[in-house]
């Protein structure tokens, strides 16, 4: 029997979408998610968040070691098409295969923000909870959709998998800081991407499909 995990937005997220304190049923929740993502409302929401973040970042004069940390899944790349196909269920093996296919598009406002960061002189490092064996397809997918310049892509090794996501990200940033990087901002779709020290400006974009 295939083990599927069903992911629905949190009550707070649902209330943001439907502007109501009443929790909708699953069919209605899925409909609201479809409309929010496919109407352009989601992209506009992300765009507004990143515009506000840029007001602070553009005042920073980049140095050689100034870097912005960007998460990959549901931050740089969107898997909305996969979840729509799966009726908002996630089956781990099929999700891994999906990532390996390199079909995930960029989240357009994030890609524009990334280009603005690079043009301003900031370095970029991608830090993801993806497994290390997906390195080749991950880098290929990033470059294919427009993320062509970055210092490195950091993925989870087998040893990292014993750590909670937030601790893995926190330790990774600590290692980067120890190497001499000045982390000026950190962008992610989960609070675990931003928890702890060495984040610089914390930039949280919404995710109405997955929640850790």
């Amino acid at each position: 029997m295939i083990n599927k995990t069903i992911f629905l937005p949190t009550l707070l997220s649902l209330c943001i979408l439907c502007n109501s304190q009443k929790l909708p049923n699953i069919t209605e929740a899925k409909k609201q998610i479809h409309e929010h993502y496919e109407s352009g409302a989601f992209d506009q929401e992300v765009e507004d968040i990143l515009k506000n973040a840029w007001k602070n970042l553009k005042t920073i004069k980049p140095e050689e070691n100034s870097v912005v940390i960007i998460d990959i899944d549901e931050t740089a790349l969107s898997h909305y098409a996969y979840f729509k196909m799966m009726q908002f269920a996630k089956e781990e093996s099929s999700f891994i295969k999906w990532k390996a296919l390199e079909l995930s598009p960029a989240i357009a406002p994030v890609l524009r923000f990334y280009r603005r960061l690079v043009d301003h002189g900031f370095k970029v490092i991608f830090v993801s909870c993806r497994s290390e064996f997906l390195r080749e397809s991950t880098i290929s997918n990033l470059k294919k959709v427009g993320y062509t310049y970055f210092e490195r892509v950091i993925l989870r090794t087998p040893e990292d998998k014993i750590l909670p996501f937030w601790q893995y990200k926190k330790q990774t940033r600590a290692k980067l800081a120890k190497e001499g990087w000045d982390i000026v901002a950190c962008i992610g779709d989960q609070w675990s991407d931003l928890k702890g020290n060495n984040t610089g400006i914390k930039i949280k974009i919404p995710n109405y499909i997955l929640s850790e």
Side-chain angles (χ1 to χ4, degrees), residues 32 63 70 157 167:
Q32 290 172 13
E63 304 291 342
I70 303 180
T157 65
Q167 192 171 349

Side-chain angles (χ1 to χ4, degrees), residues 50 53-70 112-126 147-152 181-187 199-201 203:
L50 296 179
W54 181 246
K55 291 177 183 177
N56 293 319
L57 278 168
K58 70 179 182 181
T59 65
I60 300 173
K61 182 180 179 181
E63 304 291 342
E64 274 299 310
N65 64 337
S66 300
V67 68
V68 176
I69 305 297
I70 303 180
R112 288 193 291 270
F113 189 70
Y114 154 85
R115 287 171 173 161
R116 184 175 282 180
L117 292 170
V118 172
D119 289 345
H120 191 66
F122 291 120
K123 305 292 196 306
V124 170
I125 293 177
F126 288 101
Y147 298 102
T148 54
Y149 169 82
F150 43 85
E151 294 301 307
R152 88 182 75 152
W181 291 104
D182 177 22
I183 300 173
V184 298
C186 193
I187 310 171
T199 60
I201 298 170
I203 306 171

Side-chain angles (χ1 to χ4, degrees), residues 67 69 125 127 152 154 171-183:
V67 68
I69 305 297
I125 293 177
V127 178
R152 88 182 75 152
I154 300 176
Q171 288 188 8
T172 300
R173 293 194 306 270
K175 290 176 183 177
L176 290 171
K178 193 172 182 180
E179 289 176 16
W181 291 104
D182 177 22
I183 300 173

Side-chain angles (χ1 to χ4, degrees), residues 98-117:
W98 168 268
K99 292 176 184 179
L101 289 173
E102 305 171 22
L103 295 176
S104 300
I107 294 180
V110 177
L111 179 59
R112 288 193 291 270
F113 189 70
Y114 154 85
R115 287 171 173 161
R116 184 175 282 180
L117 292 170

Side-chain angles (χ1 to χ4, degrees), residues 133-165:
F133 66 81
L134 287 169
R135 171 167 297 280
E136 185 176 345
S137 57
T138 298
I139 292 175
S140 177
N141 198 160
L142 287 169
K143 289 183 175 180
K144 190 183 296 183
V145 301
Y147 298 102
T148 54
Y149 169 82
F150 43 85
E151 294 301 307
R152 88 182 75 152
V153 173
I154 300 176
L155 305 178
R156 279 197 304 166
T157 65
E159 292 76 19
D160 293 325
K161 289 190 174 183
I162 64 172
L163 301 173
F165 289 159

